[in-house]
């Protein structure tokens, strides 16, 4: 359906899985929602989700909050047709494995916040896959607002999945492609970048600080 131009968005009534892989939420995989979408538009969606996920991690957005009024306009727009959807419903559906719960009167949400952070890490990791994103090689530069960190290659363009061949897409998502990235850039690869994001979380840094590093990782060659 996507190859024929079918639109999968909040108005289509289709399952979330369709939107995430073939529609307006492909940014969760660091991909454009359609061919011809400006890179700046895709990046804005990525930044919005990163803010959402990280604020869930820091409990600034609660599991019980409604998505259509979570305080992040791009996320609110995505779920404006789902007024009953909460953050917990979006991230766990009806699976209790990672849902916050009370045990002997104590509230536990560590697994839930791990899951939220995992969606952020996944989005970052996918930006280093050639079937998701085209990047320049690293230029030896430091991040402008985080001068202690090296900058990976600037992003040339985000790809959209609909008209890709699944077999070719998968070749850039497998173990061989992953290890090639590690060997090609031993000090600046997807794992090293992920460690820095993990450190931000472990130090409980603010969203404002994490956003500066995120902007460096998703710096665009041409918006």
């Amino acid at each position: 359906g996507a190859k024929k131009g079918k639109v999968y968005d909040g108005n289509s009534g289709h399952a979330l899985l369709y939107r995430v892989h073939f529609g307006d939420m492909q940014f969760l995989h660091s991909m454009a929602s359609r061919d011809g979408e400006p890179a700046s538009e895709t990046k804005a969606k990525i930044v919005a989700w990163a803010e959402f996920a990280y604020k869930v991690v820091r409990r600034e957005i609660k599991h019980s909050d409604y998505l259509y009024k979570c305080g992040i306009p791009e996320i609110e727009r995505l779920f404006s047709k789902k007024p009953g959807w909460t953050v917990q419903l979006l991230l766990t559906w009806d699976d209790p494995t990672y849902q916050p719960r009370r045990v002997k009167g104590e509230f536990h949400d560590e697994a839930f916040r791990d899951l939220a952070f995992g969606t952020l890490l996944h989005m970052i990791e996918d930006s280093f896959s050639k079937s998701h994103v085209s990047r320049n090689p690293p230029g030896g530069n430091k991040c402008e607002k985080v001068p202690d960190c090296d900058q990976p290659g600037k992003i040339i363009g985000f790809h959209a999945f609909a008209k890709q061949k699944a077999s070719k897409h998968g070749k850039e998502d497998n173990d061989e492609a992953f290890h090639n990235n590690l060997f090609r850039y031993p000090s600046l690869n997807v794992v090293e970048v992920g460690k820095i994001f993990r450190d931000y979380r472990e130090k409980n840094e603010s969203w404002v600080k994490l956003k500066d590093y995120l902007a460096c990782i998703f710096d665009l060659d041409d918006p």
Side-chain angles (χ1 to χ4, degrees), residues 20-85:
V20 170
H21 288 91
F22 302 104
D24 63 340
M25 293 180 67
Q26 289 182 71
F27 62 85
L28 282 171
H29 300 287
S30 283
M31 300 186 79
S33 63
R34 64 185 188 280
D35 288 344
E37 179 175 89
S40 56
E41 187 177 322
T42 308
K43 179 180 175 179
K45 296 174 184 177
I46 288 169
V47 172
W49 182 268
E51 180 181 2
F52 169 74
Y54 195 63
K55 285 185 174 179
V56 171
V57 170
R58 300 189 76 235
R59 298 191 180 102
E60 294 174 36
I61 294 177
K62 298 179 178 64
H63 70 284
S64 57
D65 286 346
Y66 288 105
L67 294 168
Y68 80 95
K69 54 179 182 178
C70 67
I72 302 173
E74 179 63 37
I75 305 301
E76 293 177 348
R77 183 190 64 77
L78 286 169
F79 296 100
S80 61
K81 301 292 185 181
K82 305 285 186 181
W85 280 32

Side-chain angles (χ1 to χ4, degrees), residues 97-108:
T97 307
Y98 299 101
Q99 291 179 356
R101 60 190 184 279
R102 290 193 178 275
V103 179
K104 296 181 179 179
E106 292 187 1
F107 183 70
H108 295 272

Side-chain angles (χ1 to χ4, degrees), residues 19 21 28 46 66 83-84 119 151 164 166 177 182 212:
R19 297 176 67 184
H21 288 91
L28 282 171
I46 288 169
Y66 288 105
T119 69
Q151 182 183 41
Q164 288 188 14
L182 300 190
D212 286 342

